[in-house]
Amino acid sequence: MLDVFIRNMSVIVELEVSAESFELGRALAVPGRSDIELEDMIPLGDDVVPLFWLYDTDPKDFVDTVETQANVQHVTVFEETHDRTLYALQWDATGDRLLGTLSDIGGFLLSAAGTGTTWTLQIRFPDHEALTGFHERCTEENIAFEVLNLYNPTRPSAGRWYGLTEPQYETLLLARERGYYDIPRQVSTRALADELGISDQAVTERLRRAIRTLTDNTLRTAKSEQRDDATH
């Protein structure tokens, strides 16, 4: 599967991995919590601090539970809304074999979304050799994952969902089918939320992220290709 792509180009892979397969997933595997989405990874000295959104969970209960983990130093609440909270996690990432392998190979984590049991990660590698090396290292470390999507970012048509995660794809497609983008608008985000079984805010956030991802993987790419063509 990995050999069918041009090897001197970067590649984006979307994969599903068990929360038990890496330290960050285990640290945030709080029973009964809802969807979690990574916002950013902030360098802080020699450490990297993840910022992430968590929906529909009591902040105090979540912080108290996560801070019992041996590798977690502190959890900070950055922002609260009526149905989600932004957290920062200060932790010891040295034992995270998956993220450590990713860093060693030169990969970059673009997005991450998870539940209590599984995570969907979107990772960009500098080339296909790096992706192959990542796969081999994960095999040696007994880190199992399932590849959901694989494409070259300079050819978005090669990607099944143009880099969207499955929840983003599902929400965006439903919004289009129900007339959210019609003029006049035929459905509200609240109605979409009721159909999907998530909060109104979660629908809004998914749509925002989905549009941003589509823009990055289509409009920016097209503009870059036009510039390349103009130089030849």
Side-chain angles (χ1 to χ4, degrees):
M1 181 178 182
L2 304 183
D3 293 332
V4 300
F5 293 87
I6 300 173
R7 289 185 173 273
N8 61 350
M9 293 182 179
S10 64
V11 60
I12 292 176
V13 60
E14 181 183 328
L15 57 88
E16 184 176 83
V17 61
S18 166
E20 289 297 317
S21 296
F22 63 116
E23 289 293 331
L24 182 60
R26 285 195 290 272
L28 300 180
V30 177
R33 67 163 176 73
S34 60
D35 290 348
I36 186 170
E37 291 186 11
L38 185 70
E39 175 74 12
D40 207 349
M41 299 283 279
I42 308 298
L44 187 64
D46 295 331
D47 299 324
V48 177
V49 177
L51 294 178
F52 56 90
W53 289 100
L54 186 67
Y55 294 87
D56 301 323
T57 297
D58 181 85
K60 184 179 185 306
D61 290 345
F62 177 76
V63 169
D64 289 345
T65 302
V66 173
E67 287 187 342
T68 63
Q69 302 289 333
N71 62 333
V72 174
Q73 299 162 2
H74 188 61
V75 180
T76 303
V77 175
F78 262 33
E79 181 181 338
E80 290 186 65
T81 69
H82 70 283
D83 67 344
R84 67 172 184 163
T85 306
L86 180 65
Y87 299 89
L89 177 69
Q90 291 181 280
W91 65 310
D92 180 8
T94 56
D96 196 312
R97 296 172 299 163
L98 187 147
L99 295 182
T101 296
L102 180 61
S103 177
D104 292 343
I105 294 297
F108 183 75
L109 184 63
L110 299 178
S111 67
T115 65
T117 56
T118 61
W119 281 74
T120 299
L121 309 180
Q122 190 179 84
I123 302 171
R124 183 166 186 162
F125 293 93
D127 50 43
H128 289 80
E129 283 74 16
L131 173 56
T132 300
F134 176 76
H135 180 267
E136 292 173 348
R137 285 276 299 275
C138 285
T139 300
E140 293 172 359
E141 297 285 353
N142 294 317
I143 302 172
F145 60 81
E146 177 184 357
V147 175
L148 303 178
N149 194 17
L150 180 69
Y151 70 98
N152 190 293
T154 62
R155 295 177 57 207
S157 60
R160 181 176 48 167
W161 295 335
Y162 293 88
L164 299 177
T165 64
E166 185 171 355
Q168 291 168 356
Y169 175 85
E170 176 189 19
T171 304
L172 187 61
L173 184 61
L174 182 65
R176 177 66 182 89
E177 291 175 344
R178 297 293 185 265
Y180 179 76
Y181 295 107
D182 290 355
I183 302 175
R185 183 167 288 171
Q186 303 298 311
V187 69
S188 67
T189 53
R190 183 171 297 278
L192 294 172
D194 290 342
E195 188 166 348
L196 290 167
I198 58 178
S199 69
D200 184 16
Q201 183 63 40
V203 168
T204 302
E205 185 70 17
R206 284 186 186 179
L207 291 176
R208 181 184 69 82
R209 289 177 180 274
I211 294 300
R212 185 177 67 182
T213 298
L214 285 176
T215 300
D216 288 344
N217 291 329
T218 56
L219 298 183
R220 288 187 180 181
T221 298
K223 186 178 293 185
S224 298
E225 290 176 350
Q226 289 173 3
R227 287 198 299 266
D228 291 341
D229 291 340
T231 61
H232 290 82

